[in-house]
């Protein structure tokens, strides 16, 4: 599918794409599932942090939840 989008020759054709999409086939599992769901999951953790501490300033190295600290740092960079 990605090759076809880039104009490269392969065995994927429009009929096959329609058949797969008829099954609600997801072309990019990472973009739609991990990335979006992961972002909202981290945001919910930030909301809880804010509720408890009254701030969204999570230390980069936050021992109770190191992933949250890294996520907040990443959001600031983007």
């Amino acid at each position: 599918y990605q090759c076809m989008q880039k104009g490269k020759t392969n065995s994927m054709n429009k009929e096959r794409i329609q058949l797969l999409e008829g099954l609600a086939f997801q072309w990019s599992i990472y973009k739609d599932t991990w990335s979006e769901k992961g972002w909202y999951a981290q945001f919910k953790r930030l909301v809880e942090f804010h509720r408890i501490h009254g701030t969204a300033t999570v230390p980069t190295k936050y021992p109770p939840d190191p992933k949250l600290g890294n996520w907040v740092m990443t959001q600031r960079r983007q």
Side-chain angles (χ1 to χ4, degrees):
Y1 179 75
Q2 290 177 354
C3 291
M4 185 178 165
Q5 285 184 317
K6 293 177 184 177
K8 296 181 180 178
T9 305
N10 64 21
S11 62
M12 185 60 68
N13 59 39
K14 290 180 182 182
E15 178 187 356
R16 291 178 181 182
I17 290 170
Q18 288 174 345
L19 288 169
L20 290 168
E21 289 177 344
L23 299 174
F25 187 83
Q26 291 184 353
W27 293 103
S28 176
I29 61 170
Y30 299 108
K31 177 185 170 198
D32 296 335
T33 56
W34 185 86
S35 181
E36 285 297 308
K37 288 179 182 177
W39 191 92
Y40 284 103
Q42 288 296 92
F43 178 74
K44 286 180 183 180
R45 291 158 87 168
L46 179 60
V47 168
E48 181 64 11
F49 181 92
H50 183 272
R51 185 186 68 76
I52 293 168
H53 300 284
T55 181
T57 307
V58 181
T60 303
K61 294 183 180 184
Y62 179 57
D65 193 348
K67 287 183 180 182
L68 179 61
N70 287 330
W71 182 82
V72 169
M73 180 180 61
T74 300
Q75 299 315 298
R76 287 190 180 111
R77 283 194 218 143
Q78 292 181 351

